[in-house]
Amino acid sequence: LLLLLLCLLTMSRKSCLDLVQDIIDSVLATPQAQKATASQLVDKLKEYEQRKKTDRKGEEIVANLVARTIKIVWKSYNKLQLEHSTEDKPLEEVSSDDPSGKFLLEMTHYHKDLRKNVLDLVADVKEEVGDVEHLIAEQAKNHIHANEIITTIGFSSTLLNFFKKAHEDCKFHVIVAESEPSHQAHKMAKLLGKAGIDTTLIPYSNIYAMMSRVNKVIIGAETITANGGLLAYEGTHGLCLAAEQLAVPVIVCSGLYKLSPEIPCSYELDTFTHMGPASGIVKYSEGEMVRSANCIFPIYDYVPPNLIQIFITSNETFSPSTIFRAVDDHYFNH
């Protein structure tokens, strides 16, 4: 049950590629989309998002990619409007006058090139998702240096490729922290060892004791929020708190397809981080314990932006205070 829940809530890069292709096949490449206006395409994308939320609860990346596609539709429509009309007010001006986003409903002019332009830009997004791990790994030599000790937690294919690429230029040591109950760090440590990287696997309780020897913490992310925070593997918040206490920089490696326009509020963090079944911690066979204890099992940790120094993405690096620029480029600011 635990493994099934983790599979449902964790979206791999391949799954994201499949999702982008599904958006193309289900919405943009249909016969109905050939003569659709921009407003109609937006409506179809929102309907698609609602269907996916029903089928796969908890996948923020579905909403992220749909919202990014809506921004692509808006940009394409705006460009075509400016090319075909000098009298109409540009949508960029309308958007500043109407911050509620109601101008989306006004995209009613039909442009025969709209769907083609949108498909071309969505294909670029698909290519970006496909190349994200390679592009991030290419930056490894700028962030990892000889004889450094680096700490990470859990498993991430992006980090695995990042460390492998850095190992081509220098030798360093990776400490992988384990967090119960998923045991993903065992897989990470094993694959790093096979790649010839000096690796130590430690229990979560030893993180603070080891942190004084560490040069930097490098982690992955499931979702990057608009305020510069993130959702990550359970136990990541404690790791980042230990790093802050001992002034160890925290670096995050993640593709921009995980960027979300949402900002979590303190009163909704329990919902935002997804709670797993208590059986992941206490087995139902332990009847007396189950009846006497209230078990809380977060699937992800929320890490606030003040604990993070740098985001490494496929295109560039961001500090938490400038991540809003990427949000503005990819999503509407309703």
PDB file of all heavy atoms in Angstrom, residues 273-289:
ATOM      1  N   THR A 273       1.163  18.913   1.828  1.00  0.00           N
ATOM      2  CA  THR A 273       2.270  17.962   1.861  1.00  0.00           C
ATOM      3  C   THR A 273       1.834  16.506   1.701  1.00  0.00           C
ATOM      4  O   THR A 273       2.678  15.643   1.599  1.00  0.00           O
ATOM      5  CB  THR A 273       3.049  18.090   3.181  1.00  0.00           C
ATOM      6  OG1 THR A 273       2.147  17.933   4.278  1.00  0.00           O
ATOM      7  CG2 THR A 273       3.709  19.446   3.291  1.00  0.00           C
ATOM      8  N   HIS A 274       0.539  16.228   1.699  1.00  0.00           N
ATOM      9  CA  HIS A 274       0.001  14.882   1.517  1.00  0.00           C
ATOM     10  C   HIS A 274       0.358  13.955   2.678  1.00  0.00           C
ATOM     11  O   HIS A 274       1.528  13.665   2.914  1.00  0.00           O
ATOM     12  CB  HIS A 274       0.489  14.239   0.212  1.00  0.00           C
ATOM     13  CG  HIS A 274       0.219  15.060  -1.002  1.00  0.00           C
ATOM     14  ND1 HIS A 274      -1.042  15.416  -1.383  1.00  0.00           N
ATOM     15  CD2 HIS A 274       1.060  15.598  -1.922  1.00  0.00           C
ATOM     16  CE1 HIS A 274      -0.979  16.133  -2.493  1.00  0.00           C
ATOM     17  NE2 HIS A 274       0.282  16.260  -2.831  1.00  0.00           N
ATOM     18  N   MET A 275      -0.642  13.483   3.349  1.00  0.00           N
ATOM     19  CA  MET A 275      -0.441  12.547   4.452  1.00  0.00           C
ATOM     20  C   MET A 275      -0.680  11.116   3.981  1.00  0.00           C
ATOM     21  O   MET A 275      -1.663  10.843   3.291  1.00  0.00           O
ATOM     22  CB  MET A 275      -1.376  12.883   5.618  1.00  0.00           C
ATOM     23  CG  MET A 275      -1.048  14.201   6.283  1.00  0.00           C
ATOM     24  SD  MET A 275       0.599  14.187   7.031  1.00  0.00           S
ATOM     25  CE  MET A 275       0.830  15.927   7.403  1.00  0.00           C
ATOM     26  N   GLY A 276       0.228  10.231   4.347  1.00  0.00           N
ATOM     27  CA  GLY A 276       0.112   8.831   3.972  1.00  0.00           C
ATOM     28  C   GLY A 276      -0.627   8.025   5.020  1.00  0.00           C
ATOM     29  O   GLY A 276      -1.001   8.537   6.081  1.00  0.00           O
ATOM     30  N   PRO A 277      -0.857   6.739   4.760  1.00  0.00           N
ATOM     31  CA  PRO A 277      -1.578   5.884   5.712  1.00  0.00           C
ATOM     32  C   PRO A 277      -0.733   5.584   6.935  1.00  0.00           C
ATOM     33  O   PRO A 277       0.490   5.434   6.850  1.00  0.00           O
ATOM     34  CB  PRO A 277      -1.845   4.613   4.904  1.00  0.00           C
ATOM     35  CG  PRO A 277      -0.732   4.581   3.897  1.00  0.00           C
ATOM     36  CD  PRO A 277      -0.458   6.008   3.542  1.00  0.00           C
ATOM     37  N   ALA A 278      -1.371   5.491   8.094  1.00  0.00           N
ATOM     38  CA  ALA A 278      -0.649   5.193   9.334  1.00  0.00           C
ATOM     39  C   ALA A 278       0.031   3.840   9.280  1.00  0.00           C
ATOM     40  O   ALA A 278       1.006   3.596   9.988  1.00  0.00           O
ATOM     41  CB  ALA A 278      -1.614   5.242  10.516  1.00  0.00           C
ATOM     42  N   SER A 279      -0.455   2.943   8.404  1.00  0.00           N
ATOM     43  CA  SER A 279       0.154   1.617   8.292  1.00  0.00           C
ATOM     44  C   SER A 279       1.584   1.687   7.773  1.00  0.00           C
ATOM     45  O   SER A 279       2.333   0.718   7.880  1.00  0.00           O
ATOM     46  CB  SER A 279      -0.676   0.731   7.357  1.00  0.00           C
ATOM     47  OG  SER A 279      -0.763   1.323   6.066  1.00  0.00           O
ATOM     48  N   GLY A 280       1.969   2.842   7.203  1.00  0.00           N
ATOM     49  CA  GLY A 280       3.353   3.000   6.782  1.00  0.00           C
ATOM     50  C   GLY A 280       4.309   3.101   7.948  1.00  0.00           C
ATOM     51  O   GLY A 280       5.521   2.920   7.784  1.00  0.00           O
ATOM     52  N   ILE A 281       3.777   3.410   9.132  1.00  0.00           N
ATOM     53  CA  ILE A 281       4.608   3.546  10.326  1.00  0.00           C
ATOM     54  C   ILE A 281       4.300   2.452  11.341  1.00  0.00           C
ATOM     55  O   ILE A 281       5.201   1.823  11.882  1.00  0.00           O
ATOM     56  CB  ILE A 281       4.386   4.935  10.972  1.00  0.00           C
ATOM     57  CG1 ILE A 281       4.716   6.044   9.975  1.00  0.00           C
ATOM     58  CG2 ILE A 281       5.229   5.093  12.227  1.00  0.00           C
ATOM     59  CD1 ILE A 281       4.384   7.426  10.472  1.00  0.00           C
ATOM     60  N   VAL A 282       3.019   2.246  11.610  1.00  0.00           N
ATOM     61  CA  VAL A 282       2.586   1.236  12.587  1.00  0.00           C
ATOM     62  C   VAL A 282       1.701   0.221  11.879  1.00  0.00           C
ATOM     63  O   VAL A 282       0.699   0.595  11.257  1.00  0.00           O
ATOM     64  CB  VAL A 282       1.809   1.890  13.751  1.00  0.00           C
ATOM     65  CG1 VAL A 282       1.342   0.826  14.734  1.00  0.00           C
ATOM     66  CG2 VAL A 282       2.670   2.924  14.454  1.00  0.00           C
ATOM     67  N   LYS A 283       2.059  -1.048  11.931  1.00  0.00           N
ATOM     68  CA  LYS A 283       1.289  -2.091  11.274  1.00  0.00           C
ATOM     69  C   LYS A 283      -0.029  -2.315  12.017  1.00  0.00           C
ATOM     70  O   LYS A 283      -0.105  -2.220  13.240  1.00  0.00           O
ATOM     71  CB  LYS A 283       2.085  -3.401  11.225  1.00  0.00           C
ATOM     72  CG  LYS A 283       3.439  -3.281  10.548  1.00  0.00           C
ATOM     73  CD  LYS A 283       3.303  -2.784   9.114  1.00  0.00           C
ATOM     74  CE  LYS A 283       4.667  -2.645   8.443  1.00  0.00           C
ATOM     75  NZ  LYS A 283       4.558  -2.056   7.090  1.00  0.00           N
ATOM     76  N   TYR A 284      -1.057  -2.616  11.247  1.00  0.00           N
ATOM     77  CA  TYR A 284      -2.363  -2.858  11.855  1.00  0.00           C
ATOM     78  C   TYR A 284      -2.353  -4.096  12.749  1.00  0.00           C
ATOM     79  O   TYR A 284      -3.212  -4.245  13.623  1.00  0.00           O
ATOM     80  CB  TYR A 284      -3.425  -3.017  10.768  1.00  0.00           C
ATOM     81  CG  TYR A 284      -3.737  -1.722  10.062  1.00  0.00           C
ATOM     82  CD1 TYR A 284      -3.507  -1.577   8.696  1.00  0.00           C
ATOM     83  CD2 TYR A 284      -4.253  -0.638  10.759  1.00  0.00           C
ATOM     84  CE1 TYR A 284      -3.784  -0.388   8.048  1.00  0.00           C
ATOM     85  CE2 TYR A 284      -4.529   0.564  10.121  1.00  0.00           C
ATOM     86  CZ  TYR A 284      -4.297   0.678   8.760  1.00  0.00           C
ATOM     87  OH  TYR A 284      -4.569   1.863   8.115  1.00  0.00           O
ATOM     88  N   SER A 285      -1.372  -4.968  12.534  1.00  0.00           N
ATOM     89  CA  SER A 285      -1.271  -6.158  13.386  1.00  0.00           C
ATOM     90  C   SER A 285      -0.920  -5.798  14.825  1.00  0.00           C
ATOM     91  O   SER A 285      -1.172  -6.564  15.754  1.00  0.00           O
ATOM     92  CB  SER A 285      -0.218  -7.123  12.819  1.00  0.00           C
ATOM     93  OG  SER A 285       1.034  -6.478  12.708  1.00  0.00           O
ATOM     94  N   GLU A 286      -0.314  -4.604  14.991  1.00  0.00           N
ATOM     95  CA  GLU A 286       0.006  -4.131  16.341  1.00  0.00           C
ATOM     96  C   GLU A 286      -1.222  -3.404  16.902  1.00  0.00           C
ATOM     97  O   GLU A 286      -1.235  -2.187  17.070  1.00  0.00           O
ATOM     98  CB  GLU A 286       1.227  -3.211  16.306  1.00  0.00           C
ATOM     99  CG  GLU A 286       2.468  -3.889  15.718  1.00  0.00           C
ATOM    100  CD  GLU A 286       3.644  -2.935  15.635  1.00  0.00           C
ATOM    101  OE1 GLU A 286       3.649  -1.935  16.375  1.00  0.00           O
ATOM    102  OE2 GLU A 286       4.547  -3.187  14.832  1.00  0.00           O
ATOM    103  N   GLY A 287      -2.257  -4.175  17.173  1.00  0.00           N
ATOM    104  CA  GLY A 287      -3.558  -3.627  17.521  1.00  0.00           C
ATOM    105  C   GLY A 287      -3.551  -2.646  18.669  1.00  0.00           C
ATOM    106  O   GLY A 287      -4.164  -1.579  18.607  1.00  0.00           O
ATOM    107  N   GLU A 288      -2.852  -2.956  19.749  1.00  0.00           N
ATOM    108  CA  GLU A 288      -2.853  -2.082  20.922  1.00  0.00           C
ATOM    109  C   GLU A 288      -2.217  -0.738  20.612  1.00  0.00           C
ATOM    110  O   GLU A 288      -2.711   0.318  21.020  1.00  0.00           O
ATOM    111  CB  GLU A 288      -2.118  -2.766  22.074  1.00  0.00           C
ATOM    112  CG  GLU A 288      -2.158  -1.960  23.374  1.00  0.00           C
ATOM    113  CD  GLU A 288      -1.505  -2.712  24.519  1.00  0.00           C
ATOM    114  OE1 GLU A 288      -1.214  -3.912  24.368  1.00  0.00           O
ATOM    115  OE2 GLU A 288      -1.295  -2.075  25.563  1.00  0.00           O
ATOM    116  N   MET A 289      -1.131  -0.762  19.847  1.00  0.00           N
ATOM    117  CA  MET A 289      -0.461   0.484  19.467  1.00  0.00           C
ATOM    118  C   MET A 289      -1.364   1.319  18.570  1.00  0.00           C
ATOM    119  O   MET A 289      -1.466   2.552  18.730  1.00  0.00           O
ATOM    120  CB  MET A 289       0.850   0.175  18.746  1.00  0.00           C
ATOM    121  CG  MET A 289       1.548   1.397  18.162  1.00  0.00           C
ATOM    122  SD  MET A 289       2.160   2.548  19.413  1.00  0.00           S
ATOM    123  CE  MET A 289       3.607   1.646  19.973  1.00  0.00           C
TER     124      MET A 289
END
